[in-house]
Amino acid sequence: MSIITENTITKNVLENGKFPSNDVMLDLNDLKKVYPTPKGDYVVLEHLNLQIRKEEFVTIIGHSGCGKTTMLSMIAGLNPISGGNISVLGKHIKGPGPDRGVIFQSPSLMPWMTSLQNVLLGVNQVFPHATKAQRNDIAKYYLQKVGLEDAFHKKASELSQGMQQRVGIARAFAIKPKVLLLDEPFGMLDSLTRGELQDILIEIWNKEKITAVMITHDVDEAIFLADRVVMMTSGPRAKIGDVLDIDFKRPRTRKSVLEHDDYYKYRKHLIDFLEH
Ligand SMILES: Nc1ncnc2c1ncn2[C@@H]1O[C@H](COP(=O)(O)OP(=O)(O)O)[C@@H](O)[C@H]1O
Ligand SMILES: [Mg+2]
């Protein structure tokens, strides 16, 4: 039996299953992705439809290899679309742009540059008309937000993995994107660091009022962070299989989430989906 009850039915959905267009930040419309391979075309994604609202935090789960990274890199404009379209605020995307920031599993910083210089790389590109002092202020503000106020001038190669990912988060927020795309950003971190960075991420996301789309393989992380958890079917021809609304109030603490009666219902729903 489905556990989808009144409180998990997505609110504000019109009869055609779509949100009012004014509410929509990101619209994936009949998206398709084909990779050519030596054995012929491989259809990774097909008939994939998903709308994400302004200021929403959506997490994506699905089996390894189903096409999550493919979908996210298409939204980022880094991977060509084979069919359908993607729009941000109603405009079709044609490639990467400063309206979308990306955080990957590994932050790929310039190892010989300092934290500050790494963040400035993006800031300088996106705000070419700001003064040098203004750009420095932006970069330092976000580095301080992620807890790196003492490491502005440390080289990236001298930072721990957790600190490098903090720089990655600061770098992504500092370009002030409308949409933040995250591909298993905490997957390589120990659980304590992961928890700290989840809290930092939510705090900045909440303050900046941006839209976040985050892939994770961690069901608990998916529930803790999200307004909605999107479940992708297994490939080939993967699409959206199910969507679960997470109705916990914000701000959330791990304790309040774990103690909430609905937590285990949500968790069971996601695990049942992944096991079938
Ligand atoms: N550049 C590529 N060329 C051919 N096949 C690819 C390419 N990138 C990914 N794939 C294949 O597409 C499928 C989806 O990959 P991916 O999007 O990385 O999945 P996920 O992130 O869900 O683990 C996998 O079967 C993968 O092998
Ligand atoms: Mg992936």
Side-chain angles (χ1 to χ4, degrees):
M1 194 186 79
S2 165
I3 67 140
I4 295 206
T5 55
E6 306 82 272
N7 72 341
T8 58
I9 292 170
T10 300
K11 295 170 203 85
N12 302 327
V13 177
L14 298 182
E15 278 177 6
N16 63 3
K18 295 210 163 197
F19 297 117
S21 59
N22 260 348
D23 292 350
V24 176
M25 172 58 73
L26 193 61
D27 196 353
L28 314 191
N29 178 31
D30 204 27
L31 196 62
K32 181 173 183 174
K33 180 67 187 181
V34 182
Y35 286 122
T37 74
K39 289 186 202 153
D41 283 352
Y42 182 70
V43 184
V44 188
L45 308 174
E46 193 174 44
H47 302 310
L48 190 150
N49 291 288
L50 179 64
Q51 290 190 309
I52 296 176
R53 283 171 288 183
K54 293 172 185 166
E55 298 177 25
E56 214 180 0
F57 200 121
V58 167
T59 51
I60 314 270
I61 62 167
H63 286 286
S64 180
C66 76
K68 302 180 295 298
T69 296
T70 296
M71 181 181 86
L72 206 79
S73 61
M74 289 165 84
I75 301 172
L78 301 168
N79 193 347
I81 295 169
S82 311
N85 54 64
I86 298 175
S87 40
V88 176
L89 291 176
K91 275 183 77 175
H92 289 185
I93 61 160
K94 299 214 157 51
D99 55 344
R100 284 151 288 144
V102 194
I103 301 180
F104 297 105
Q105 185 168 48
S106 161
S108 47
L109 306 174
M110 302 295 167
W112 63 90
M113 289 187 177
T114 65
S115 313
L116 185 60
Q117 288 168 332
N118 268 286
V119 176
L120 279 170
L121 274 183
V123 173
N124 291 343
Q125 267 190 4
V126 175
F127 305 109
H129 301 300
T131 64
K132 199 167 174 229
Q134 286 169 330
R135 296 198 295 249
N136 262 305
D137 283 351
I138 296 173
K140 285 181 176 172
Y141 172 81
Y142 287 98
L143 281 167
Q144 167 255 317
K145 279 272 163 209
V146 298
L148 289 181
E149 56 278 0
D150 296 329
F152 290 166
H153 304 296
K154 280 225 173 90
K155 277 194 186 151
S157 57
E158 291 164 9
L159 302 176
S160 68
Q161 224 167 26
M163 287 168 93
Q164 290 187 23
Q165 197 52 297
R166 285 173 201 254
V167 178
I169 295 172
R171 182 179 58 183
F173 276 106
I175 64 164
K176 303 204 176 278
K178 293 189 179 80
V179 182
L180 189 61
L181 305 166
L182 306 104
D183 193 353
E184 306 197 20
F186 309 140
M188 300 202 308
L189 306 177
D190 62 86
S191 66
L192 207 67
T193 308
R194 194 182 315 152
E196 277 173 24
L197 290 194
Q198 286 168 353
D199 291 340
I200 286 171
L201 173 66
I202 284 294
E203 195 191 314
I204 314 182
W205 162 78
N206 191 39
K207 185 144 190 289
E208 305 277 318
K209 307 250 175 273
I210 69 174
T211 304
V213 185
M214 173 166 156
I215 298 170
T216 175
H217 58 255
D218 181 335
V219 165
D220 299 298
E221 179 171 82
I223 298 170
F224 180 62
L225 297 176
D227 297 312
R228 288 189 297 152
V229 184
V230 168
M231 292 156 261
M232 274 174 75
T233 62
S234 295
R237 300 175 197 280
K239 56 184 180 179
I240 306 307
D242 197 0
V243 180
L244 182 66
D245 277 22
I246 308 293
D247 278 336
F248 299 139
K249 283 200 206 73
R250 295 185 191 269
R252 299 173 182 172
T253 61
R254 261 170 213 85
K255 188 164 180 293
S256 67
V257 165
L258 287 170
E259 285 172 357
H260 199 288
D261 288 344
D262 287 344
Y263 180 72
Y264 293 93
K265 286 195 267 175
Y266 291 149
R267 205 169 188 281
K268 184 173 184 311
H269 188 117
L270 298 179
I271 288 170
D272 283 350
F273 178 88
L274 291 172
E275 285 179 355
H276 287 106

